[in-house]
């Protein structure tokens, strides 16, 4: 029993003597040697790896495809369940990020070409051999494979013309024997095989000289090594392998000095304040200078590339104090990639180039402000913003390519706003759609990558009014989070039933709007209602009863009967008051009872309207408690729509997030000379939309739509005048 599995180790030992690299070295693996596996299991696994039983022919699969599979593997972990069964599940950080997403090859190629490609241009092989390239979060190695392949192609293209010339001379019968022999001798000195391929020795040399990587995940490090070694072996034959062994070398190099495991962001000074060695193992402090002394003897890396991990700030746990101490770009809610940007640029030498693909939220989010301020002092070369395009399939991460170079002047930044992924070649697309902006035009409060004329218009608008937050004296509030909508949000049928049983229920049940119920200038309508017991209600009304639930049953019996089945869930929720049937504490519940402007938090364009029916709102919407219809017009104007799209982040499908962070900075300009006319037009818009909601007659709908558009256009023209826009500036706003 288990003979097949034990027999594998003999094969591994034989392979190790031939290939080296540590792939088949089980000296350090004490676990596998002591495991017993049934012969049938091993036979089944091995047979299923062979084509055609396996749907894959592994010998012809590209390393990039294997890398994509490995990336998924790295996102999983094996755990023992309570019943001691092995279960496979996503790692917590992967689950929080929404999965593992392999970087598309065209992105890898573009970054490699615009970093390594810039430094190899015009160089000799001796000079290229000095280049040090690193991915500080290498994962399965996609960027390092791209870099390695680029360098192999560079060497091939460098030597091939001379190889071709010498081959032609050697085969030219018109040349004398001495010339032909000299050509053959000279050709044999080139690092190419007689067939014109790169020699194994050169491929190993390039790998060891140029390629470096670090990852906190030891599995990722092993996968990266394997991927690079497979790339090194591509195109090799039995004869080329045997030739290599004749020189006394094993076929593959050992990459332990090049690809290492550790935390790229946390140095060994973490030990100064942390003494929990169990936690320390998880954090894995890493000192770059000690790990790669030769590289840092020359000032650092020539190229830093990659796709930093997308780890939300909630997952950073107890390393936040360290990050705050060590990184200029620190912000309490910043994602992990912010620190990788600062670290990556810091790893470069005086001539280095930095190229990554990273989420674009840092350009506008509050947490990105320290990063934006710091980056304005760095040598930024190019930013390619993909907006909300799905670069990573099935992911909601909206990326940008960011390239910086130590020898770049810091005055102008090349920018590209990518509008479609339907291009044949990203390099050509970038050439055709790039422009330059001045570094000084980038605002610390949020970066916009528009043209210079657009930048000037945005600057004019931002100083042309009072920030909305100040205009309404801080009165921008998000809706109510119940923590258990299935219990506290009811429909009209249940509402009527509860009131019919107990008339007192009516004072507790409030009309309730979701974000989807709010439409621009339309009367809010909803079939939902909120059972509203705010924190402190029971104690205040019941004079701190000894038994709160008994008091509720005696005073609001129908609601108590309805809520009773939700007791267990109600007690578990975080968002509760003094008792499980109460809502969380909130200082502005009274504001919902007022006339107010209401705004959904996700929409293609601003959908503000006016509420007179004292609706309470779910937390997917915002309220501004005011009867200011002048403000309503400005919020719904084309001008504010244009400005908002430039200062906020969009999400998939072009939708915008209308949240306080961005709303409160909108410039609101007041002028009493415009107020009366604009308010009259707003009242007309509200009335027209009300009539439209009440009719189904096609002719009348056509008439109302015509009048609504006419009135809307008049409001927009007055708002343009209010803000003092020229015809050219209006053209920018309207996309002309």
């Amino acid at each position: 029993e288990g003979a097949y599995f034990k027999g594998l180790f003999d094969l591994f030992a034989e392979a190790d003597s031939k290939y080296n690299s540590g792939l088949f070295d089980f000296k350090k693996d004490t676990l596998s040697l002591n495991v017993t596996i049934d012969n049938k299991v091993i036979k089944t696994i091995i047979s299923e790896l062979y084509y055609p039983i396996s749907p894959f022919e592994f010998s012809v699969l590209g390393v990039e495809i294997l890398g994509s599979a490995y990336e998924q593997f790295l996102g999983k972990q094996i755990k023992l369940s309570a019943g001691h069964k092995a279960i496979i599940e996503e790692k917590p950080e992967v689950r929080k990020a929404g999965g593992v997403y392999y970087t598309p090859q065209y992105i890898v190629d573009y970054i490699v070409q615009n970093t390594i490609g810039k430094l190899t241009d015009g160089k000799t092989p001796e000079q290229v051999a000095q280049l040090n390239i690193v991915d500080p979060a290498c994962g399965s190695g996609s960027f390092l494979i791209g870099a390695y392949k680029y360098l192999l192609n560079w060497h091939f293209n460098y030597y091939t013309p001379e190889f071709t010339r010498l081959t032609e001379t050697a085969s030219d019968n018109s040349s004398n024997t001495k010339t032909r022999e000299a050509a053959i001798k000279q050709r044999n000195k080139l690092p190419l095989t007689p067939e014109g391929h790169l020699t194994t020795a050169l491929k190993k040399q390039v790998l060891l000289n140029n390629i470096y990587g670090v990852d906190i995940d030891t599995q990722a490090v092993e996968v990266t090594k394997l991927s690079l070694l497979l790339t090194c072996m591509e195109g090799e034959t039995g004869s080329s392998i045997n030739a290599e062994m004749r020189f006394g070398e094993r076929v593959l190099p050992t990459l332990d000095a090049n690809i290492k495991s550790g935390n790229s962001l946390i140095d060994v000074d973490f030990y100064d304040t942390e003494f929990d060695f169990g936690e320390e193992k998880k954090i894995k402090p890493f000192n770059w200078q000690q790990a790669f002394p030769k590289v840092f003897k020359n000032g650092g890396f020539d190229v830093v590339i990659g796709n930093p991990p997308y780890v939300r700030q909630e997952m950073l746990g107890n390393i936040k104090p360290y990050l705050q101490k060590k990184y200029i770009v620190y912000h309490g809610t910043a994602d992990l990639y912010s620190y990788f940007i600062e670290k990556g640029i810091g790893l470069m030498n005086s001539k280095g180039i930095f190229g990554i693909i990273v989420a674009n939220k840092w350009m506008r989010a509050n947490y990105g402000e320290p990063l934006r301020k710091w980056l304005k002092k760095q040598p930024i070369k190019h930013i390619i913003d993909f907006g909300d395009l799905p670069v990573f399939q099935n992911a909601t991460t909206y990326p940008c390519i960011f390239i910086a170079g130590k020898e770049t002047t810091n005055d102008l930044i090349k920018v590209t706003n990518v509008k479609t992924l339907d291009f044949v070649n990203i390099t050509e697309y970038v050439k055709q759609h790039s422009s330059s902006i001045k570094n000084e035009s980038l605002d610390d409060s949020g970066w916009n990558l528009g043209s210079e004329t657009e930048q000037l218009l945005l600057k004019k608008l931002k100083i042309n009014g009072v920030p909305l937050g100040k205009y309404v004296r801080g009165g921008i509030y998000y809706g109510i989070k119940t923590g258990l909508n299935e219990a506290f949000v009811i429909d009209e049928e249940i509402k009527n039933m509860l009131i019919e049983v107990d008339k007192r229920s009516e004072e507790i049940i409030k009309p309730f709007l979701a974000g989807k119920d709010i439409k621009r200038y339309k009367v809010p309508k909803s079939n939902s209602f909120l059972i509203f017991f705010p924190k402190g209600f029971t104690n205040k009304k019941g004079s701190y009863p000894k038994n709160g639930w008994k008091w509720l049953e005696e005073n609001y019996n129908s609601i108590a009967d309805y809520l009773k089945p939700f007791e267990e869930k109600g007690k578990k929720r975080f968002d509760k008051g003094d008792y499980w049937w109460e809502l969380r504490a909130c200082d502005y519940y009274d504001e919902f009872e007022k006339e107010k402007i209401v705004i959904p938090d996700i929409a293609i364009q601003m959908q503000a309207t006016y509420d007179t029916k004292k609706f309470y709102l779910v937390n997917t919407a915002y309220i501004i408690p005011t009867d200011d219809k002048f403000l309503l017009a400005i919020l719904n104007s084309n001008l504010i729509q244009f400005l908002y799209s430039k200062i906020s982040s969009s999400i998939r499908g072009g939708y915008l997030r209308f949240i306080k962070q961005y709303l409160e900075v909108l410039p609101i300009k007041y002028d009493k000379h415009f107020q009366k006319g604009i308010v009259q037009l707003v009242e007309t818009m509200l009335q027209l939309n009300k009539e439209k909601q009440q009719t189904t007659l096609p002719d009348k709908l056509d008439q109302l739509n015509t009048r609504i558009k006419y009135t809307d256009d008049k409001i927009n023209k007055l708002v343009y005048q209010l803000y003092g826009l020229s015809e050219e500036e209006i053209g920018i706003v309207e996309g002309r």
Side-chain angles (χ1 to χ4, degrees):
E1 184 182 326
Y4 287 3
F5 183 63
K6 300 296 182 187
L8 286 175
F9 291 96
D10 296 331
L11 293 174
F12 292 154
E14 183 182 339
D16 185 55
S17 67
K18 182 176 183 179
Y19 290 100
N20 187 26
S21 81
L23 290 178
F24 304 102
D25 184 1
F26 277 75
K27 294 184 182 71
K28 297 177 184 177
D29 182 2
T30 56
L31 176 64
S32 299
L33 292 167
N34 295 311
V35 172
T36 301
I37 301 177
D38 189 84
N39 287 342
K40 185 178 180 181
V41 174
I42 294 296
K43 184 177 180 181
T44 302
I45 291 171
I46 293 175
S47 64
E48 287 180 353
L49 291 173
Y50 281 100
Y51 182 83
I53 297 175
S54 166
F56 305 108
E57 173 55 278
F58 291 102
S59 65
V60 297
L61 278 181
V63 174
E64 296 86 355
I65 296 172
L66 290 175
S68 179
Y70 286 135
E71 199 84 15
Q72 297 302 320
F73 156 73
L74 290 173
K76 308 286 186 180
Q77 63 183 6
I78 299 174
K79 291 187 73 174
L80 285 178
S81 68
H84 293 281
K85 286 188 176 181
I87 56 173
I88 298 174
E89 64 181 23
E90 284 189 328
K91 293 175 181 175
E93 63 271 21
V94 171
R95 191 165 57 250
K96 283 278 187 182
V100 171
Y101 305 105
Y102 194 70
T103 311
Q105 193 59 41
Y106 73 91
I107 298 289
V108 174
D109 292 342
Y110 182 86
I111 291 174
V112 166
Q113 287 163 9
N114 286 274
T115 52
I116 301 168
K118 301 297 181 186
L119 293 184
T120 55
D121 192 27
K123 298 287 197 304
T124 65
E126 291 74 23
Q127 291 170 319
V128 170
Q130 303 304 312
L131 295 180
N132 301 307
I133 299 151
V134 70
D135 182 345
C138 59
S140 68
S142 59
F143 274 88
L144 294 182
I145 294 166
Y148 183 37
K149 285 192 169 186
Y150 184 90
L151 290 174
L152 294 180
N153 288 333
W154 183 91
H155 282 86
F156 178 80
N157 293 332
Y158 183 89
Y159 289 114
T160 296
E162 180 68 359
F163 178 87
T164 302
R165 184 186 69 78
L166 293 170
T167 299
E168 289 173 351
T169 302
S171 60
D172 186 0
N173 290 325
S174 63
S175 300
N176 60 49
T177 303
K178 200 169 184 180
T179 301
R180 291 199 301 271
E181 288 177 351
I184 292 171
K185 188 175 181 181
Q186 196 66 28
R187 185 185 66 181
N188 290 341
K189 291 181 181 179
L190 296 175
L192 298 175
T193 66
E195 296 78 26
H197 306 305
L198 294 177
T199 62
T200 309
L202 177 63
K203 291 196 285 184
K204 290 198 291 187
Q205 180 185 318
V206 171
L207 184 53
L208 292 172
N209 282 348
N210 301 122
I211 303 299
Y212 297 85
V214 176
D215 201 284
I216 194 170
D217 191 331
T218 52
Q219 290 177 323
V221 167
E222 294 307 315
V223 167
T224 294
K225 289 179 183 177
L226 175 61
S227 298
L228 289 168
L229 293 171
L230 287 172
T231 304
C232 185
M233 290 292 290
E234 279 186 335
E236 295 293 340
T237 62
S239 59
S240 68
I241 291 172
N242 290 332
E244 189 75 17
M245 294 185 70
R246 280 201 299 272
F247 292 104
E249 287 189 28
R250 288 190 282 183
V251 178
L252 292 171
T254 300
L255 297 180
D256 291 349
N258 292 61
I259 315 298
K260 295 177 179 282
S261 182
N263 192 323
S264 292
L265 300 176
I266 304 228
D267 208 331
V268 292
D269 60 357
F270 182 78
Y271 297 138
D272 294 344
T273 55
E274 295 295 328
F275 301 100
D276 181 353
F277 292 99
E279 190 65 25
E280 183 185 294
K281 284 182 181 177
K282 211 187 301 181
I283 291 171
K284 298 174 75 170
F286 182 80
N287 183 272
W288 284 85
Q289 286 72 20
Q290 290 175 10
F292 306 112
K294 288 183 181 178
V295 172
F296 285 94
K297 188 178 180 181
N298 297 318
F301 290 94
D302 298 283
V303 177
V304 180
I305 53 177
N307 177 6
Y310 295 51
V311 179
R312 292 174 59 182
Q313 58 93 11
E314 297 92 339
M315 297 292 293
L316 300 184
N318 66 345
I319 69 169
K320 275 191 176 184
Y322 179 87
L323 296 173
Q324 184 174 17
K325 181 177 69 174
K326 293 288 287 189
Y327 289 90
I328 297 169
V329 303
Y330 176 82
H331 187 285
T333 59
D335 285 22
L336 194 67
Y337 64 74
S338 297
Y339 310 110
F340 269 98
I341 294 175
E342 181 178 339
K343 171 58 78 173
I345 291 177
L347 290 173
M348 295 192 300
N349 60 35
S350 60
K351 295 184 179 180
I353 300 181
F354 173 75
I356 62 168
I357 183 165
V358 67
N360 62 17
K361 283 185 69 177
W362 62 269
M363 284 194 272
R364 291 170 184 149
N366 276 347
Y367 70 70
E369 185 164 348
L371 177 59
R372 291 190 293 270
K373 287 180 177 178
W374 182 78
L375 281 175
K376 283 183 72 173
K377 301 173 185 175
Q378 306 307 314
I380 305 169
K381 291 169 69 75
H382 194 177
I383 300 174
I384 302 172
D385 187 7
F386 290 91
D388 63 341
L389 295 172
V391 173
F392 296 92
Q393 291 184 358
N394 305 316
T396 54
T397 298
Y398 310 118
C400 68
I401 291 174
F402 182 88
I403 294 175
K406 284 288 181 75
E407 293 192 321
T408 306
T409 58
N410 209 31
D411 300 330
L412 289 176
I413 300 171
K414 185 179 174 184
V415 298
T416 308
N417 291 293
V418 181
K419 302 299 183 185
T420 177
L421 296 180
D422 189 22
F423 46 71
V424 177
N425 184 299
I426 187 174
T427 300
E428 287 303 312
Y429 183 93
V430 168
K431 280 182 183 176
Q432 294 170 18
H433 297 87
S434 291
S435 59
S436 294
I437 61 173
K438 292 179 180 177
N439 180 299
E440 63 189 32
S441 71
L442 296 172
D443 194 324
D444 290 342
S445 64
W447 285 11
N448 173 265
L449 304 183
S451 65
E452 188 173 350
T453 53
E454 190 177 286
Q455 297 278 358
L456 290 171
L457 174 56
L458 291 172
K459 190 171 183 180
K460 173 181 175 177
L461 292 175
K462 287 177 182 178
I463 62 173
N464 201 356
V466 177
L468 177 60
K470 186 175 181 181
Y471 183 87
V472 297
R473 298 178 182 177
I476 305 172
Y477 307 111
Y478 61 82
I480 294 168
K481 187 174 183 180
T482 70
L484 191 62
N485 280 0
E486 63 179 298
F488 298 102
V489 180
I490 60 176
D491 61 24
E492 190 165 17
E493 184 180 353
I494 294 174
K495 180 203 80 164
N496 292 337
M497 179 193 72
L498 293 175
I499 293 173
E500 186 178 341
V501 173
D502 183 355
K503 184 68 176 172
R504 288 172 297 182
S505 299
E506 192 166 10
E507 66 186 74
I508 301 303
I509 299 174
K510 308 292 183 181
F512 198 57
L513 281 180
K516 62 183 176 62
D517 300 320
I518 303 168
K519 305 297 180 186
R520 190 168 176 267
Y521 286 123
K522 291 186 177 179
V523 177
K525 289 186 177 180
S526 173
N527 189 41
S528 295
F529 297 85
L530 175 69
I531 296 176
F532 180 63
F533 291 113
K535 183 181 187 301
F537 180 92
T538 308
N539 286 332
K540 183 179 178 182
K541 294 284 187 179
S543 301
Y544 291 87
K546 289 182 179 179
N547 187 322
W549 180 253
K550 184 178 180 182
W551 176 88
L552 191 74
E553 286 182 312
E554 290 172 353
N555 289 273
Y556 299 97
N557 63 301
S558 66
I559 291 180
D561 288 344
Y562 175 76
L563 290 178
K564 182 63 177 174
F566 300 102
E567 181 177 3
E568 187 177 345
K569 288 183 178 179
K571 286 179 176 178
K572 287 180 180 177
R573 81 193 207 280
F574 175 77
D575 302 289
K576 60 178 181 285
D578 298 326
Y579 299 91
W580 68 261
W581 55 88
E582 292 182 347
L583 302 182
R584 67 194 294 184
C586 177
D587 294 332
Y588 55 86
Y589 280 133
D590 290 346
E591 305 295 343
F592 291 101
E593 296 283 346
K594 299 176 181 178
E595 293 188 3
K596 55 191 175 289
I597 293 172
V598 293
I599 303 168
D601 77 337
I602 299 179
I604 289 284
Q605 68 176 113
M606 179 71 80
Q607 296 283 330
T609 193
Y610 191 56
D611 169 41
T612 60
K613 296 184 178 180
K614 302 180 180 180
F615 273 104
Y616 284 62
L617 278 75
V618 74
N619 65 318
T620 56
Y622 281 79
I623 67 168
I624 303 175
T626 178
D627 59 1
D628 189 348
K629 296 187 176 104
F630 175 80
L631 173 60
L632 179 61
I634 293 176
L635 291 176
N636 276 332
S637 68
N638 285 348
L639 182 63
I640 291 299
Q641 174 68 16
F642 164 78
L643 177 60
Y644 200 89
S645 69
K646 302 300 179 183
I647 66 171
S648 67
S649 299
S650 62
I651 58 177
R652 187 64 51 81
Y655 283 82
L656 297 169
R657 292 295 311 275
F658 292 92
I659 55 180
K660 187 172 182 178
Q661 170 189 335
Y662 303 123
L663 288 171
E664 64 185 0
V665 300
L666 290 173
I668 307 301
K669 185 173 183 181
Y670 174 77
D671 188 325
K672 65 180 181 181
H673 296 102
F674 285 87
Q675 184 182 28
K676 184 176 180 181
I678 287 177
V679 169
Q680 285 177 345
L681 289 169
V682 169
E683 288 174 343
T684 300
M685 279 290 281
L686 292 169
Q687 182 59 35
L688 290 171
N689 277 284
K690 184 177 181 180
E691 291 177 27
K692 183 180 174 181
Q693 289 173 272
Q694 294 172 345
T695 186
T696 56
L697 298 173
D699 288 347
K700 189 169 183 182
L701 283 172
D702 287 343
Q703 291 175 12
L704 287 168
N705 284 333
T706 301
R707 289 186 64 192
I708 286 170
K709 185 179 185 312
Y710 173 76
T711 308
D712 206 17
D713 288 344
K714 288 184 74 173
I715 292 173
N716 281 317
K717 286 175 183 176
L718 283 176
V719 173
Y720 292 146
Q721 291 176 34
L722 172 67
Y723 283 80
L725 266 62
S726 66
E727 282 300 317
E728 181 186 4
E729 290 169 333
I730 293 170
I732 294 172
V733 170
E734 297 185 349
R736 290 189 267 112

